[in-house]
Amino acid sequence: MQQDTSLFARIIEKTPVGIVVVTASGIVRFMNCCAEQLFNVKRETLIGNSLEPFIGVEQHDGATWEQMIRHMATGELTETTLMLQPIDRDDTMCKITLFSLGKDTDDAEQFVLTFRDITQEILFNEQIEKKNLEMAKMNSELIRWNAELKRVSELKSNFLSIASHELKTPLTSIKGYSDIIIDNMRDRIDEGVYRMIESINRAADRLHKVVNSILDVTRIEQKRLRLKPEMLDLGAVAKDCIDDLTQFSQKRGITFNCSFPAVLPQFYGDKMRLQQVFTNLFSNAIKFSPDGSPVKVTIAVEGEERFHITVHDQGVGINKEEQRNIFDAFYEVGNANRHSTDFSKFMGGGTGLGLSIVKGIVERHGGRIWVESEGVREGEFPGSTFHVMLPQHAEIGWDDDETKTLIVERDDDKAVDLEKITEMINEKPVILFIDSDREAVEIARMVLENAFEVLVAETGEIGLALAFSRHPSVILMDSYLPGLDGYRICRILRSQDETRDIPIAFFSAGTQNTEIQKCFASGADDFVVKPFSGRELVDKIWRLLMKKKEEDTFK
Ligand code: ADP
């Protein structure tokens, strides 16, 4: 028994909770070691005195220490948190409990108070709360930044889209006039000037390509890339693209080795877009490989469902940390000049747009693209392998069909020259231009006036009057016109017997699908995108005339 008592006494003495026994009036009768530490006072000093100076009245709503003990003793408040004010030490927060020990020999009730130091706990909780608040703040900042980034990105896409369209109009003049000089005026100008004009013409073509790439990027970013799907032989498409690049690959002594089954299952996709994918990957392989190195192209069918295309070069390679970024728009690592003899001459500088368009097209077909490379090593050619995985039956709905938006396919071989037209058609056909863009009309007039009688109307109303009075063979008009717009004119012409059959083509700098659909919906036969070349225009008019002739024959 004695042993037990001494054990309990030791436990109470050593327990890491402050234990204090007080009378009902708050006079200390006992305290353990931990309580001494908490109050920073020796028990000899405190026993027989009140604890009140260590606690402070204001903490329990003005009640005295004694009142508080009584209050706790009733059981209403069994636990509370108080700030202790130890001697010569910082305040500590304690959790306090109180229970009655019953009466002592003097018939006075005694209470046990326990004090648990929770200062660290509170500090910790405060820190967590602070962090939580900071995180909530950061989160709302992030949400705000995200929205801002989205807005800026949309602004950027819109800006690029508008800027590209705006660039197309002046490009019409540059391309159109230089075409006219190259095609018709060679004998009238100095050879040096002729070369300069050729150079301007090529620069216009390059700029046109860049503008089209920017438009593709904005289409992809704005999820507006439409496809014209058909059943395709991927191997044949790849080979055609390799053939188209022969001029460049031969110049660099680069050979393409193809390895794919003689008969591949058909792939359902957009031919023109897949040509873009292959051409970009192949021309990059040429661009970033040393002269005379091989490029290997494989197409394999994996499982029943997927095509796995690889393009492997033995070029400069791509560092691991760049391998994701290269698929971002406008991203260039800029290492082409490390190996190539005259890369800039043969391909022109890059724009950093190619792979982002490739990725957009591949993903639009439900596929994915990635690259493998050991990274760049000075003086070595570790090479890169681009992988494209395409599902055999991509889920491309027919509502994605872009057939109607297939605009101008530039095909110089098929271009028809003016003399041939005049030979075939005895009378000069009348072409009516309805457009307020004088530059474009002037170019068209210069290109066409030898073979056609060209009528020009700068407003829709005059155009309409000329269409009824002169009954032209073909009408070319802009969709945007002051006053009566192109769509309304087209509808009016289609509704009247005397003008119903006149072939009509719209021409405009806009290539938005909605805009093109609107043209066809209003009854147009075709659509010419600005900047158009003289050859395209002649070709377009020729086709419209021939189509009309065929229709008249079968009537
Ligand atoms: P660019 O028009 O500049 O070639 P791309 O989007 O096609 O733009 O490519 C982005 C960058 O990726 C290139 O500037 C080049 O650094 C890197 N890259 C692309 N293809 C290869 C390749 N086959 N080998 C090495 N680097 C490549």
Side-chain angles (χ1 to χ4, degrees), residues 367-385:
R368 62 193 189 93
I369 181 166
W370 70 99
V371 65
E372 274 176 354
S373 173
E374 284 172 21
V376 177
R377 290 196 299 266
E378 208 50 50
E380 291 180 40
F381 296 105
S384 313
T385 307

Side-chain angles (χ1 to χ4, degrees), residues 37-41 53-54 84-92:
Q37 284 162 7
L38 277 174
F39 296 110
N40 200 23
V41 65
F54 293 88
L84 293 191
Q85 296 159 339
I87 297 172
D88 302 333
R89 256 219 346 245
D90 288 345
D91 296 350
T92 37

Side-chain angles (χ1 to χ4, degrees), residues 17 27 122 128 168 180 206 411 415 531 555:
V17 174
I27 302 299
I122 288 178
I128 289 187
K168 283 196 162 193
I180 291 170
R206 276 204 300 277
D411 200 341
K555 253 183 195 165

Side-chain angles (χ1 to χ4, degrees), residues 280 284-285 287-288 313 316-318 326 331-335 350-356 384 386:
N280 262 302
N284 275 347
K287 184 153 70 171
F288 296 100
D313 63 52
V316 287
I318 304 164
I326 55 168
Y331 194 90
E332 280 188 282
V333 189
N335 48 11
T351 51
L353 295 176
L355 286 178
S356 78
S384 313
F386 282 82

Side-chain angles (χ1 to χ4, degrees), residues 191-244:
E191 187 59 23
V193 176
Y194 183 79
R195 296 269 158 256
M196 285 184 225
I197 303 289
E198 273 192 326
S199 169
I200 292 174
N201 194 277
R202 276 196 302 274
D205 279 340
R206 276 204 300 277
L207 185 56
H208 192 188
K209 269 192 198 146
V210 173
V211 167
N212 280 341
S213 293
I214 295 176
L215 283 173
D216 276 346
V217 166
T218 55
R219 275 191 200 110
I220 289 164
E221 282 180 353
Q222 296 173 344
K223 307 216 177 318
R224 289 190 290 110
L225 187 75
R226 297 217 149 196
L227 301 178
K228 182 198 163 205
E230 60 185 298
M231 296 311 268
L232 297 170
D233 176 349
L234 278 179
V237 177
K239 278 191 176 139
D240 283 349
C241 295
I242 292 171
D243 288 347
D244 288 346

